[in-house]
Amino acid sequence: MPPGPPRQFKPVRGRSSASLPLWKRFALLQKEYGSVVSLFQGNTPVIVLGTIKAATDLLEKKGGIYSSRPRSIMVGELLSDGMRGVMMPYGTRWRNWRSVMHAGMSVEASNAYKSFQSMESKILIHDLLLASNSRQYSAFLRRFAISVVLRVSYGRRIQSLNDPIVVANTKIEECKTPGKYIVESWPILLKLPRFLQWFRREPEEQLAHDTELYLSFANEVRRQMSLGIALPSTGTRALEKQEDFGLNDVETAFALSSPFSAGVGTTLSTLDVFFLAMLHYPDTMKKAQSEIDIVVGRSRLPEFDDVESLPYIRALILETMRWRPIVPVCVPHSVISDDTYEGMHIPRGSSVYPNISYMSKNEEMFPSADDFKPERYLKSANLPTPHTTFFFGFGRRICPGIHIANNSLYIVISRILWAFNIVPNLDEHGKAVIPSKDDFTTGLSIRPKPFTYHLETRNGKDTVTLIEEEWKTAEQEATAYPQ
Ligand code: HEM
């Protein structure tokens, strides 16, 4: 097996690493043992891959055996009866689910949502113009991100975060917090006679509730289809060809919930990293703004059609995802057969973590890796190589929402930079409050801890007038979308 600590996990370099987030714990081991390491989590072998090359060699080139997921008792099984695609093991059910994701989120399908993302981002920019603090900014960004995934899944939008579909989905996401249930740490409890498995009751009730709710969302798409008023979405595609996809009604309804689960928090965290970077690197922000001013000018907003002419903005977005990857150890893969990599044995059933965060700090690939330097991506921003996509994962499991995410990030970031300067707040002594670059929440998907900043409108009155005009048109356009 790859080198690693003895099976009894020992503190590294005299200090306990158990309390550190996974990506930091893995990074300490990788510094000590090399870029590919192994360890044990209970009885499960864990392989950590620290280079883009190793992850591509295994997860992509040997995707036939490296595309499963480790067992997830609570969220994968009890809370969802195996219907949540992100946790599904490799096999027919996952392939069917993934075909639905592809049908609704391929490059072509994603192109069809661009006009919606453009419309929602005009409303967002107007909301941000009227907002006065970071909490309000966050709420408006959240509304944007949720509206986009609901458009993708069900062909509908939301006007506010109080919409019942948001409240219900948010509650479901909270129930999925890992570590909340004892059986995750003690799977042996599943061997108790079923009537003694007290821990089942809560998730099973939740599952019944979620099933009913997801079915109601899917049925609404069905109803609109029968009236001929449904907008093309993942939902319409999945339901039109439900038999071909091989998913039953409940499986289809769960599949349509995936973009909410996987696409809201990730988009918002990336936008937070963008704001953080702009506070730390104001010169980079100015450079990006001057590219926009030259290419787009001040008499209109950046559009999707401008993307080819805005290489620095594209590079800045890639650098945002590289600088502080928000899914730092990816979602673990699992290998379904024994394998050998560069002479090292990889046992069947190992959990395989690409340490995206470690890869992003590789000094050979990314010199001065801790610095935020969009310039490093200027030549390669157009190329979909692992170098420009590794923060979205690898191989057959690579994020299916990658095009939706990239389109949202482009249109929001380019328009924010066109409209605003992102500036620090001042403390009582008039000193700029710059948040830490490294104060993040923990978990599989991470986010900068809440910080404050201020959006200062650029170039005054004309900018405000243009934002207001664009907002009025967007609000008019929005009436065409069901809510
Ligand atoms: C910047 C934003 C995003 C980032 C950084 C991101 C990152 C990731 C990563 C690292 C994975 C795991 C890939 C692997 O296992 O190799 C993943 C999976 C996934 N993502 Fe994203 N994601 C983002 C946005 C989105 C969006 C907007 C959607 C949907 C609209 C989405 C849907 C999914 C789904 C459904 C999976 C599970 C794929 C599977 O297990 O087969 N993601 N994402």
Side-chain angles (χ1 to χ4, degrees):
M1 281 177 66
R7 192 145 175 188
Q8 187 68 32
F9 192 86
K10 275 197 182 154
V12 181
R13 296 205 182 105
R15 65 185 272 251
S16 168
S17 61
S19 58
L20 292 175
L22 218 45
W23 61 272
K24 281 194 184 162
R25 265 160 75 189
F26 288 165
L28 285 175
L29 293 175
Q30 287 170 306
K31 276 186 193 130
E32 188 161 338
Y33 296 100
S35 61
V36 178
V37 300
S38 70
L39 63 146
F40 277 85
Q41 267 174 350
N43 281 329
T44 309
V46 172
I47 311 295
V48 188
L49 308 173
T51 59
I52 295 178
K53 179 181 181 311
T56 310
D57 285 348
L58 297 182
L59 309 184
E60 197 170 313
K61 294 188 184 150
K62 294 185 177 179
I65 59 169
Y66 277 92
S67 300
S68 201
R69 294 282 193 219
R71 188 172 179 197
S72 154
I73 295 175
M74 184 47 69
V75 182
E77 296 173 20
L78 303 187
L79 264 171
S80 59
D81 201 16
M83 286 181 292
R84 290 205 186 271
V86 183
M87 278 127 206
M88 267 181 209
Y90 194 58
T92 307
R93 200 184 212 187
W94 172 76
R95 266 193 295 272
N96 293 346
W97 169 86
R98 186 83 191 191
S99 309
V100 170
M101 294 298 105
H102 183 73
M105 301 195 269
S106 62
V107 181
E108 298 76 47
S110 303
N111 281 341
Y113 310 124
K114 279 182 177 171
S115 57
F116 182 85
Q117 286 162 304
S118 172
M119 176 196 86
E120 285 292 17
S121 68
K122 286 177 185 170
I123 296 174
L124 169 68
I125 299 296
H126 184 255
D127 286 340
L128 295 176
L129 180 75
L130 301 185
S132 54
N133 60 55
S134 317
R135 277 176 71 128
Q136 290 178 352
Y137 300 149
S138 287
F140 289 130
L141 290 160
R142 187 169 160 74
R143 191 206 63 79
F144 167 86
I146 293 181
S147 207
V148 169
V149 296
L150 293 177
R151 167 70 189 88
V152 170
S153 291
Y154 308 112
R156 57 161 292 183
R157 73 179 292 258
I158 51 152
Q159 223 170 356
S160 100
L161 291 175
N162 298 326
D163 191 297
I165 197 171
V166 180
V167 178
N169 269 303
T170 308
K171 190 162 176 283
I172 293 175
E173 293 309 308
E174 282 164 4
C175 291
K176 295 192 323 201
T177 311
K180 195 177 153 196
Y181 300 94
I182 189 168
V183 66
E184 284 173 280
S185 318
W186 300 93
I188 198 163
L189 292 171
L190 289 171
K191 296 213 182 318
L192 286 171
R194 207 176 159 101
F195 71 94
L196 286 178
Q197 295 184 22
W198 81 95
F199 50 83
R200 274 182 181 274
R201 214 195 49 175
E202 199 186 326
E204 282 175 355
E205 278 173 15
Q206 184 67 39
L207 171 61
H209 168 268
D210 299 353
T211 306
E212 198 180 317
L213 198 76
Y214 290 154
L215 278 172
S216 73
F217 300 152
N219 286 337
E220 174 55 20
V221 178
R222 245 191 212 104
R223 189 188 70 81
Q224 291 176 6
M225 285 166 73
S226 71
L227 295 174
I229 56 165
L231 294 169
S233 65
T234 314
T236 57
R237 290 182 173 93
L239 293 170
E240 268 158 14
K241 296 197 178 160
Q242 201 180 337
E243 269 187 31
D244 296 354
F245 286 122
L247 298 182
N248 65 30
D249 286 353
V250 180
E251 288 169 333
T252 303
F254 265 79
L256 298 183
S257 74
S258 304
F260 193 105
S261 305
V264 175
T266 42
T267 305
L268 291 174
S269 305
T270 308
L271 287 171
D272 271 359
V273 173
F274 158 72
F275 288 117
L276 194 60
M278 293 304 96
L279 291 174
H280 280 272
Y281 296 90
D283 290 345
T284 304
M285 177 173 70
K286 287 197 188 96
K287 215 165 159 183
Q289 288 171 326
S290 82
E291 180 182 72
I292 294 175
D293 291 351
I294 291 166
V295 173
V296 176
R298 300 300 309 162
S299 58
R300 65 173 182 90
L301 291 175
E303 298 290 343
F304 276 111
D305 285 348
D306 295 314
V307 69
E308 295 301 320
S309 321
L310 294 171
Y312 198 77
I313 299 299
R314 293 201 311 274
L316 180 144
I317 293 169
L318 290 171
E319 180 67 346
T320 300
M321 292 190 273
R322 184 212 62 88
W323 185 58
R324 293 293 183 266
I326 51 93
V327 195
V329 292
C330 198
V331 181
H333 290 222
S334 176
V335 54
I336 56 177
S337 322
D338 281 340
D339 189 30
T340 306
Y341 182 58
E342 295 187 341
M344 298 175 284
H345 174 60
I346 313 277
R348 166 176 177 254
S350 301
S351 299
V352 183
Y353 285 87
N355 192 349
I356 293 176
S357 166
Y358 192 76
M359 295 170 192
S360 75
K361 294 182 169 53
N362 183 317
E363 283 287 328
E364 268 172 42
M365 281 204 117
F366 307 110
S368 309
D370 202 45
D371 293 347
F372 186 88
K373 288 207 291 195
E375 288 74 11
R376 69 174 91 245
Y377 274 120
L378 270 181
K379 285 204 186 101
S380 57
N382 258 346
L383 308 171
T385 62
H387 183 236
T388 58
T389 60
F390 70 102
F391 13 78
F392 286 105
F394 296 90
R396 299 182 190 187
R397 286 279 185 172
I398 194 172
C399 174
I402 184 168
H403 312 296
I404 311 265
N406 280 333
N407 291 343
S408 281
L409 293 174
Y410 165 73
I411 204 69
V412 168
I413 287 179
S414 63
R415 287 182 174 175
I416 286 181
L417 288 171
W418 179 91
F420 305 110
N421 291 317
I422 298 146
V423 291
N425 282 338
L426 302 180
D427 68 12
E428 66 270 29
H429 308 295
K431 205 168 154 263
V433 181
I434 306 285
S436 160
K437 285 191 270 190
D438 293 304
D439 199 11
F440 278 67
T441 61
T442 54
L444 214 52
S445 168
I446 63 172
R447 191 169 179 173
K449 295 221 181 113
F451 59 92
T452 62
Y453 57 92
H454 179 65
L455 295 179
E456 178 188 85
T457 312
R458 296 180 65 211
N459 297 42
K461 227 173 108 214
D462 291 348
T463 304
V464 173
T465 310
L466 199 132
I467 293 174
E468 281 171 349
E469 280 167 11
E470 291 285 10
W471 166 71
K472 278 187 204 140
T473 332
E475 282 288 348
Q476 189 58 37
E477 230 179 282
T479 56
Y481 290 91
Q483 292 178 23

